[in-house]
Amino acid sequence: MRILIEKNYEKMSRRAAQIIASQVTMQPESVLGLATGSTPVGMYKNLVEMFRMGELSFKNVSSFNLDEYIGLNHKHPQSYKAFMDSQLFDHVDIGADQVHIPCGMAEDVNMECLAYEKAIESLGGIDLQVLGIGHNGHIGFNEPGSSFEARTHMVDLDAVTIQANARFFDDVDQVPRQAISMGIKTIMKSRKVMLLASGKDKAEIIQKMVHGPITPSVPASILQLHQDLILVLDEEAASLLAGGEGLYDTA
Ligand code: PGA
């Protein structure tokens, strides 16, 4: 595990975007795993800026998002497809057919999950998976107690997650209760994983994820076993980690 600690959210976002840009420059046909949430917003801004400056092209990139709410169609403003369009896809040269997000309106959710896994495999697997982390340690929508063996599947959202996501809806009752999420096994199969976290409120879960036991009650703790994991944190999110400043390896 490598841990990069940046002074603040802006620097963390810039650094994360540079890591994606390096991946895409070295391998223009990269398959990226992408995440929603507040944390990667700054990273997407930087990527759009790099594209505008002519430093980066997504022409040959494919992407797979981690998750989508069940019951929201892709045009719904709170769907993760709408989020991705407005943050990244509408502003760069990635083709609509290169972008993959689970369909939250699928009639047969199990078939949708299987097809999603197949689509990832048919493109050779994910080269670089971006993750945020929930206050409860979830990655994607793999909530505490999730099986480490799960592939893309339907999940019931944790009360903590519903509450945290209520800020994007008019009221908490409008937050969907279920989602389709890549499973932990899907995530662990990615060749590289980059997890971002920012702010004091993430310090405790980052500490548990890095130094705590590997347990389904902290789903992100399984990442301790990933062979190519980089954490990009700001100083606040890193404030409870043992060790010094700057760049260090915990492996
Ligand atoms: P956040 O969400 O980036 O909005 O904090 C992260 C997550 O829940 O995975």
Side-chain angles (χ1 to χ4, degrees):
M1 181 190 308
R2 289 179 72 211
I3 304 182
L4 290 170
I5 303 170
E6 298 289 343
K7 187 111 210 108
N8 53 35
Y9 178 74
E10 284 67 36
K11 293 201 166 127
M12 180 209 78
S13 300
R14 176 91 193 144
R15 178 57 74 103
Q18 283 165 345
I19 290 170
I20 298 216
S22 308
Q23 170 69 38
V24 171
T25 302
M26 283 189 304
Q27 194 185 333
E29 276 146 38
S30 290
V31 178
L32 300 179
L34 298 177
T36 54
S38 310
T39 312
V41 166
M43 177 189 79
Y44 291 134
K45 260 202 193 100
N46 276 276
L47 288 174
V48 170
E49 189 57 30
M50 288 174 184
F51 169 75
R52 288 194 177 136
M53 302 290 285
E55 295 166 9
L56 184 61
S57 169
F58 293 85
K59 208 158 91 81
N60 298 310
V61 166
S62 303
S63 72
F64 287 89
N65 262 76
L66 280 168
D67 43 22
E68 180 60 280
Y69 288 119
I70 288 181
L72 300 191
N73 72 48
H74 278 171
K75 296 225 158 10
H76 190 287
Q78 295 311 332
S79 72
Y80 285 166
K81 172 66 163 64
F83 175 96
M84 289 306 302
D85 285 346
S86 68
Q87 298 298 320
L88 182 68
F89 300 150
D90 284 351
H91 312 291
V92 299
D93 58 346
I94 193 164
D97 55 343
Q98 290 152 248
V99 157
H100 305 83
I101 300 188
C103 173
M105 299 300 283
E107 262 178 43
D108 186 334
V109 173
N110 289 333
M111 283 296 289
E112 173 67 13
C113 295
L114 278 174
Y116 204 67
E117 285 287 325
K118 277 222 167 90
I120 295 172
E121 272 166 35
S122 73
L123 289 174
I126 292 170
D127 293 303
L128 173 59
Q129 175 68 57
V130 178
L131 298 175
I133 184 169
H135 295 99
N136 60 4
H138 76 196
I139 45 177
F141 273 135
N142 295 285
E143 303 285 20
S146 298
S147 160
F148 287 155
E149 291 302 313
R151 303 295 187 96
T152 301
H153 63 306
M154 182 169 97
V155 295
D156 293 325
L157 303 187
D158 202 82
V160 176
T161 302
I162 292 169
Q163 203 57 52
N165 291 5
R167 67 192 195 274
F168 301 113
F169 292 81
D170 290 338
D171 71 81
V172 69
D173 292 336
Q174 290 180 15
V175 184
R177 271 29 188 180
Q178 291 179 312
I180 294 176
S181 179
M182 279 186 200
I184 290 181
K185 186 101 174 195
T186 322
I187 293 168
M188 288 297 281
K189 279 177 65 130
S190 308
R191 281 182 271 281
K192 293 185 189 133
V193 175
M194 172 169 72
L195 185 143
L196 312 182
S198 157
K200 258 200 173 58
D201 58 316
K202 293 285 171 75
E204 199 174 323
I205 194 65
I206 287 292
Q207 193 274 342
K208 276 194 192 157
M209 183 221 138
V210 173
H211 297 301
I214 297 171
T215 161
S217 62
V218 181
S221 63
I222 189 69
L223 294 169
Q224 291 176 27
L225 300 181
H226 195 281
Q227 300 212 335
D228 195 348
L229 168 68
I230 184 160
L231 301 194
V232 187
L233 310 174
D234 67 7
E235 282 184 356
E236 286 188 350
S239 58
L240 296 178
L241 290 179
E245 298 159 3
L247 164 68
Y248 66 100
D249 287 337
T250 56

